[in-house]
Amino acid sequence: MANNIIADGDHVIFKRDGTCRVFQIKPDRQAYFEKVKFTVNDLIGQQFGSTFKVDRGNLVKLSETKVLELEQVASEPGADNRNLLDSESNQKMRLEDIQKMKSDGLSGEKIIEELVENSETFDSKTSFSQAKYLKKKKKKHLQMFTVLRPTARLVMEIFSKEPAKICFLRPDTVSQILNFSNVMYGSNVAVVETCQGLVLACVLERLGGHGKVIHIVPNTSDTLCRLVVNTFLTYMLS
């Protein structure tokens, strides 16, 4: 069974909402994700699947309870939105106030609480509108993401914005390829593809560390998927 602890040199995937990116963990390395810069030192020794928030360039691990609290709506639902007007005057706090709170080191949770308290219309919104409002503010002020082990499915999510790089393959298409080719645990497989190693990664996952694979590809450069494939091999054989 693969080790579930993040180690020096591992490739990981940072995921926040629908955004995913691959990073390699190295001591003192600076990472830039979702317009936020931070060091990855605090990830070493942590478990895959952990959620972190960025605090002044450092990572702080959040407990499962804390993550659930941050995802909940923090107010009672209102009646409806029929009498609400979209106006800047609805928010008493100005941009200068928010910037001062950030410079004073206040957490994203506290800033969101202040925004809710100083909103003249939040309590009158429907629960759906409240959740939408909080989601928007959390994305802007709460820098939180989850660190995941690389998988072929997650890599496909990364390429969803540039599908031409993986020949427009979809998860269901890859599933059909694996099923029709009868790839299973312990199989001997030859893979010919120009999808940056994506099909190869899927085959390696299906083999589970047992079997043989011959990969034929005209491109020998270190692409994103090729790095992830090497990571799969490390986990499978550990």
Side-chain angles (χ1 to χ4, degrees):
M1 182 177 179
N3 190 356
N4 199 41
I5 302 299
I6 302 171
D8 180 12
D10 282 351
H11 287 85
V12 303
I13 289 183
F14 294 164
K15 184 171 184 179
R16 183 187 183 197
D17 296 329
T19 303
C20 297
R21 282 195 62 187
V22 175
F23 289 89
Q24 185 177 23
I25 303 301
K26 293 182 179 180
D28 301 323
R29 182 178 183 180
Q30 294 284 331
Y32 190 77
F33 179 61
E34 289 288 271
K35 300 181 180 180
V36 180
K37 191 175 183 179
F38 52 89
T39 59
V40 299
N41 291 356
D42 295 323
L43 294 179
I44 298 176
Q46 301 290 347
Q47 287 188 334
F48 283 101
S50 300
T51 300
F52 297 83
K53 71 173 182 179
V54 182
D55 184 11
R56 299 186 179 186
N58 297 313
L59 296 179
V60 179
K61 184 178 179 180
L62 300 177
S63 64
E64 294 183 7
T65 303
K66 186 64 176 178
V67 173
L68 291 175
E69 289 178 357
L70 294 174
E71 292 177 348
Q72 292 176 350
V73 178
S75 179
E76 293 296 327
D80 55 55
N81 299 336
R82 72 181 69 181
N83 297 319
L84 300 183
L85 296 176
D86 187 11
S87 173
E88 292 184 359
S89 61
N90 293 335
Q91 178 56 250
K92 298 177 183 178
M93 291 184 63
R94 303 273 72 87
L95 178 60
E96 294 77 13
D97 300 326
I98 298 174
Q99 291 176 339
K100 186 177 185 304
M101 293 174 70
K102 289 183 177 180
S103 62
D104 291 341
L106 268 70
S107 64
E109 302 98 289
K110 184 61 178 177
I111 293 176
I112 294 173
E113 289 178 6
E114 291 294 330
L115 287 171
V116 170
E117 290 179 4
N118 286 276
S119 173
E120 295 183 350
T121 58
F122 184 83
D123 290 334
S124 302
K125 295 176 181 287
T126 63
S127 57
F128 176 80
S129 296
Q130 287 180 349
K132 185 177 179 181
Y133 176 89
L134 288 174
K135 182 178 180 180
K136 180 180 179 180
K137 298 305 178 184
K138 287 174 183 177
K139 186 173 183 179
K140 185 174 183 179
H141 300 291
L142 188 60
Q143 309 301 334
M144 185 175 70
F145 61 90
T146 303
V147 183
L148 302 172
R149 184 193 304 280
T151 64
R153 178 184 60 80
L154 289 174
V155 172
M156 294 187 75
E157 286 189 28
I158 295 174
F159 281 107
S160 62
K161 296 181 180 179
E162 297 179 291
K165 291 186 176 182
I166 55 172
C167 301
F168 296 93
L169 284 178
R170 303 191 310 267
D172 60 307
T173 306
V174 176
S175 297
Q176 292 293 330
I177 292 174
L178 295 176
N179 287 333
F180 284 127
S181 58
N182 200 29
V183 177
M184 64 181 69
Y185 181 89
S187 298
N188 296 329
V189 186
V191 180
V192 182
E193 54 122 316
T194 56
C195 304
Q196 304 200 53
L198 179 62
V199 176
L200 175 61
C202 295
V203 169
L204 289 171
E205 279 190 329
R206 181 67 68 91
L207 293 180
H210 294 268
K212 297 180 180 179
V213 180
I214 298 175
H215 186 212
I216 303 173
V217 60
N219 184 5
T220 59
S221 63
D222 281 338
T223 60
L224 172 62
C225 283
R226 193 173 300 282
L227 291 174
V228 176
V229 165
N230 292 336
T231 302
F232 289 157
L233 286 173
T234 301
Y235 290 140
M236 296 296 183
L237 299 176
S238 62

